[in-house]
Amino acid sequence: MRLPPNESTATGPGTPSRRSVLATMGTLPVLLAAAPAAGASRAPSAAPAADVIVDPSAERQTIRGFGGMNHTVWISDLTPAQRDTAFGNGEGQLGFSVLRIPVHENQADWAREVATARRATELGATVIASPWNPPARMVETFVRGSQTNARRLRYDMYAAYAQHLNDFSAYMRDNGVDLYAVSVQNEPDYAQEWTWWTPAEMIRFLRENAGSISTKVIAPESFQYVKSFSDPILNDPQALANLDVLGAHLYGTRSQDFPYPLFRQKGRGKELWMTEVYHPNSSDSADLWPQALDVAEHVHRALVDAEFQAYVWWYIRRSYGPMREDGRISKRGAAMAHFSKFVRPGHVRLDVTPSPRANVHTSAYKGGDGAIVVVAVNKGASPVSQSFTLGNGASSGVTSWLTDAGRTLTPQGAVSVSNGSFTGELPAQSVTTFVTG
């Protein structure tokens, strides 16, 4: 995506802003908990909920990480301290393990992305890159509907474009950053301000040119996880052979559209990443509560319903992002950190009851050492006493961290485990992460 530094809604004639498009679509819901009826009791006692069985053998996808975007041409670079806050995993840090950077069309801008990418790499993060435009010499204009100056990659420049992506990867490697993957194009289906691609053009590039790219290849990064853009890729064996990561954005995508049966059928051996989103909007403060709790639910649904292996935010540092402009973690950032700090790269999601009761969302993950991480989101206006049963019964204790209106990633007292079960207290409108010892 692209928004000016102040996220202005102003656009040129005939070019709707992202925010106006989302408002028109009406498909980016703010899933706030319903307020209690007048006179309804807010009794502090917790309500009972169904037991959640955590079976370490019920494995689903491997998690690659959580992170965000740094784009130094549009906003200023992260400071050294902010890089550590983003990619470190100590107290007051986000624990991000994925950094997304742009492949600038002008090589003179490539150096701008090195410092943050190199520090992220030093802290163990995976770095991916996405282009918004090819170099100007490779682009031609055409008429697309009412847009008379639409841009596309010239058909005789596909090989040169693949080399451009390789040159960027080589430059970053020479400066201490080994890119994990490079995208063919950022949001090829929402490109009034950058370069359009059709599914047929994307397939041609994947078939004929992507095999020469030196890193893993991401495509198509549809603005709204539009399956009609990625279906043709999955149904084309030659194109699919040169695709490594099916990338998608979730702007306005309804949660019922998160599952992708065709990917499960055809995408064996490929990865599935959510490579960009902000949620629920870019207009409100990231510290607004309980709205920020929507981020925790969104991450949950992206991992559980869609089975994405990575969740990547838009700008890391922004008034509506995981890091505030002053460099401190926001409430939205804390909601992400309940996953990113504890569900580390290589963890495997376990298949547990995703909603043991209304307004409660639970997910579980297994680390290489056998430790279990459980993230529980309570969107309801009342506390919940939630029982968990650990299938291996081996844990002797559980530690937990809590974020609610008054607390942010606050350690809680130890929770005892009896006969392989423990009870987690979930305050109203909160997110809690439990880690077995």
Side-chain angles (χ1 to χ4, degrees):
M1 75 163 280
R2 179 181 188 272
L3 288 175
N6 63 357
E7 279 69 52
S8 169
T9 59
T11 56
T15 305
S17 73
R18 172 182 300 276
R19 192 177 301 161
S20 65
V21 169
L22 294 179
T24 301
M25 291 188 299
T27 54
L28 191 58
V30 178
L31 301 175
L32 296 176
S41 172
R42 284 184 177 269
S45 60
D51 196 16
V52 172
I53 308 297
V54 182
D55 180 0
S57 68
E59 297 186 352
R60 303 298 296 189
Q61 78 270 29
T62 299
I63 303 302
R64 298 301 184 195
F66 306 83
M69 181 84 190
N70 196 47
H71 196 310
T72 63
V73 168
W74 293 339
I75 66 172
S76 60
D77 195 4
L78 298 177
T79 67
Q82 290 166 356
R83 293 166 193 152
D84 286 355
T85 298
F87 300 101
N89 200 21
E91 184 177 353
Q93 297 178 325
L94 284 163
F96 280 178
S97 50
V98 177
L99 169 66
R100 182 171 178 245
I101 60 174
V103 181
H104 296 297
E105 53 264 42
N106 299 316
Q107 292 191 15
D109 290 325
W110 289 358
R112 303 169 65 116
E113 306 301 333
V114 168
T116 291
R118 188 159 52 205
R119 182 57 178 156
T121 297
E122 291 170 353
L123 292 171
T126 296
V127 183
I128 62 173
S130 297
W132 270 247
N133 291 299
R137 66 183 177 86
M138 301 182 190
V139 175
E140 64 182 4
T141 59
F142 69 106
V143 177
R144 186 184 186 277
S146 62
Q147 188 179 2
T148 59
N149 63 342
R151 283 172 286 182
R152 68 184 171 207
L153 179 64
R154 284 170 42 188
Y155 292 165
D156 63 343
M157 285 289 179
Y158 278 32
Y161 182 57
Q163 186 58 51
H164 169 71
L165 299 179
N166 277 337
D167 289 344
F168 179 77
S169 297
Y171 178 87
M172 296 303 293
R173 183 171 57 252
D174 290 345
N175 284 276
V177 180
D178 286 324
L179 294 178
Y180 181 76
V182 172
S183 173
V184 176
Q185 171 66 45
N186 170 77
E187 295 181 352
D189 53 345
Y190 190 81
Q192 286 88 351
E193 298 180 29
W194 46 88
T195 302
W196 293 98
W197 292 65
T198 66
E201 290 165 347
M202 187 74 69
I203 285 173
R204 176 187 164 184
F205 183 84
L206 289 171
R207 281 179 171 180
E208 300 177 6
N209 305 100
S212 67
I213 294 176
S214 58
T215 68
K216 293 182 183 294
V217 175
I218 303 172
E221 287 202 288
S222 166
F223 158 61
Q224 205 178 17
Y225 203 10
V226 175
K227 308 299 197 301
S228 60
F229 206 109
S230 49
D231 281 355
I233 297 172
L234 292 170
N235 286 319
D236 188 299
Q238 287 180 276
L240 186 60
N242 289 327
L243 175 72
D244 301 290
V245 180
L246 195 152
H249 299 177
L250 291 180
Y251 290 106
T253 312
R254 302 175 304 173
S255 59
Q256 57 262 45
D257 294 328
F258 280 15
Y260 199 177
L262 186 64
F263 179 82
R264 294 190 66 180
Q265 177 189 350
K266 299 287 187 72
R268 184 178 298 276
K270 311 300 179 181
E271 297 184 51
L272 185 64
W273 287 41
M274 198 291 294
T275 54
E276 186 190 309
V277 79
Y278 55 72
H279 183 82
N281 57 45
S282 62
S283 55
D284 292 332
S285 165
D287 289 317
L288 187 63
W289 195 268
Q291 189 195 76
L293 189 58
D294 292 354
V295 174
E297 182 186 356
H298 198 253
V299 177
H300 166 90
R301 292 188 180 277
L303 300 180
V304 174
D305 298 345
E307 297 192 272
F308 284 115
Q309 296 173 261
Y311 186 99
V312 184
W313 193 267
W314 178 227
Y315 289 136
I316 294 173
R317 186 197 66 229
R318 213 64 178 150
S319 63
Y320 56 86
M323 182 188 298
R324 302 187 319 206
E325 293 290 354
D326 64 5
R328 290 187 291 177
I329 294 176
S330 68
K331 285 290 193 179
R332 289 185 181 183
M336 283 188 69
H338 272 275
F339 295 87
S340 59
K341 289 179 69 67
F342 307 99
V343 183
R344 303 300 295 170
H347 273 59
V348 176
R349 186 176 72 84
L350 302 177
D351 196 4
V352 301
T353 303
S355 185
R357 62 164 293 151
N359 295 316
V360 174
H361 308 279
T362 56
S363 60
Y365 311 84
K366 178 177 66 175
D369 59 357
I372 301 295
V373 178
V374 176
V375 184
V377 182
N378 180 11
K379 296 289 294 294
S382 299
V384 170
S385 184
Q386 179 63 58
S387 296
F388 299 90
T389 297
L390 305 173
N392 59 10
S395 178
S396 58
V398 172
T399 54
S400 64
W401 289 259
L402 169 69
T403 296
D404 61 7
R407 292 165 286 191
T408 302
L409 289 166
T410 302
Q412 303 299 290
V415 180
S416 62
V417 177
S418 177
N419 296 321
S421 296
F422 71 94
T423 299
E425 302 300 332
L426 312 180
Q429 298 176 329
S430 69
V431 53
T432 307
T433 299
F434 302 94
V435 181
T436 65

